[in-house]
């Protein structure tokens, strides 16, 4: 298996793995807008923050968990109970995305969960569904190695065509939360 470093080096602009690759606008303002009830990407409020659907959908179902404390920079900065709540919320969002993507696309493979913070210094987690139909050169690699232009391509922007997906993930979250 090819090493991650080798995979990053073979891509032009390898620093994209560590920097947000354009076209997606995630910042503390998203958290503040969610707290005010003004963030249209919010799927559901959760115990520790907000489940939001991603602004880019080249992997349909991509979602993000935002902590409800915009100035907290590291998971370890949260009190232990809140940290565990965030991780539990990440698990629920991941399971909701997995259930929906498995139901809607027979080529669904798995969900990848990531807590990074290299570029956006506030606590958040990425939930990436992965599919068998992905291009062969990236299917087994980190999402950050997708071509830069995919991140800003209008055909992948969140829009009304994703309403069924949004509603389904939100409903799965409701169902999972009712079971706890």
């Amino acid at each position: 298996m090819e090493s991650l470093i080798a995979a990053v080096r073979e891509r032009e602009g390898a620093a994209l793995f560590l920097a947000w690759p354009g076209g997606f606008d995630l910042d503390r303002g998203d958290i503040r807008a969610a707290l005010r009830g003004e963030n249209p990407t919010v799927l559901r409020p959760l115990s520790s923050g907000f489940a939001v659907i991603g602004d880019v959908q080249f992997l349909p179902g991509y979602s993000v968990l935002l902590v409800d404390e915009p100035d907290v920079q590291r998971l370890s900065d949260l009190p232990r109970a809140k940290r565990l709540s965030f991780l539990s919320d990440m698990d629920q969002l991941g399971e909701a995305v997995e259930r929906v993507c498995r139901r809607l696309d027979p080529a669904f493979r798995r969900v990848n969960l990531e807590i990074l913070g290299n570029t956006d210094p506030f606590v958040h987690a990425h939930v990436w569904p992965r599919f068998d139909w992905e291009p062969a050169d990236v299917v087994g690699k980190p999402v950050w190695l997708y071509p830069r232009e995919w991140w800003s391509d209008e055909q992948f922007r969140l829009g009304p065509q994703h309403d069924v997906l949004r509603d389904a993930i939100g409903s799965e979250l409701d169902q999972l939360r009712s079971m706890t």
Side-chain angles (χ1 to χ4, degrees):
M1 178 177 189
E2 183 178 19
S3 77
L4 177 59
I5 291 176
V8 170
R9 284 186 181 146
E10 79 180 30
R11 284 257 183 227
E12 186 175 321
L16 292 178
F17 178 71
L18 299 175
W20 198 256
F24 186 88
D25 186 21
L26 181 65
D27 61 29
R28 286 184 179 97
D30 292 308
I31 300 169
R32 290 184 178 97
L35 288 166
R36 293 189 309 270
E38 298 171 359
N39 184 332
T41 64
V42 171
L43 297 165
R44 295 292 188 274
L46 300 177
S47 299
S48 67
F50 302 94
V52 302
I53 192 161
D55 288 350
V56 293
Q57 290 291 310
F58 57 83
L59 295 173
Y62 167 57
S63 300
V64 180
L65 176 62
L66 302 173
V67 75
D68 58 8
E69 298 182 35
D71 296 322
V72 174
Q73 293 188 10
R74 294 171 196 79
L75 186 63
S76 59
D77 291 342
L78 292 170
R80 183 158 180 76
K82 180 82 172 236
R83 187 179 329 156
L84 294 175
S85 179
F86 182 83
L87 294 172
S88 177
D89 286 349
M90 181 178 70
D91 170 62
Q92 283 186 343
L93 180 56
E95 186 172 351
V97 169
E98 180 175 333
R99 287 180 177 192
V100 168
C101 290
R102 186 181 313 129
R103 187 169 60 242
L104 295 178
D105 190 333
F108 172 76
R109 293 178 65 223
R110 68 178 22 91
V111 163
N112 294 156
L113 305 173
E114 299 178 322
I115 299 174
L116 301 172
N118 298 321
T119 300
D120 298 314
F122 53 90
V123 178
H124 62 286
H126 301 273
V127 178
W128 290 105
R130 302 302 300 260
F131 302 90
D132 287 332
W133 49 254
E134 292 179 57
D137 63 330
V138 292
V139 69
K141 297 177 182 167
V143 172
W144 311 106
L145 296 177
Y146 260 83
R148 183 176 185 85
E149 58 273 9
W150 285 45
W151 296 86
S152 56
D153 191 321
E154 283 301 313
Q155 71 174 322
F156 300 126
R157 296 299 286 171
L158 180 64
Q161 69 274 25
H162 299 105
D163 286 350
V164 169
L165 189 59
R166 292 171 69 126
D167 292 344
I169 295 170
S171 293
E172 281 297 334
L173 282 168
D174 292 341
Q175 184 178 22
L176 288 167
R177 290 181 14 216
S178 73
M179 295 171 26
T180 57

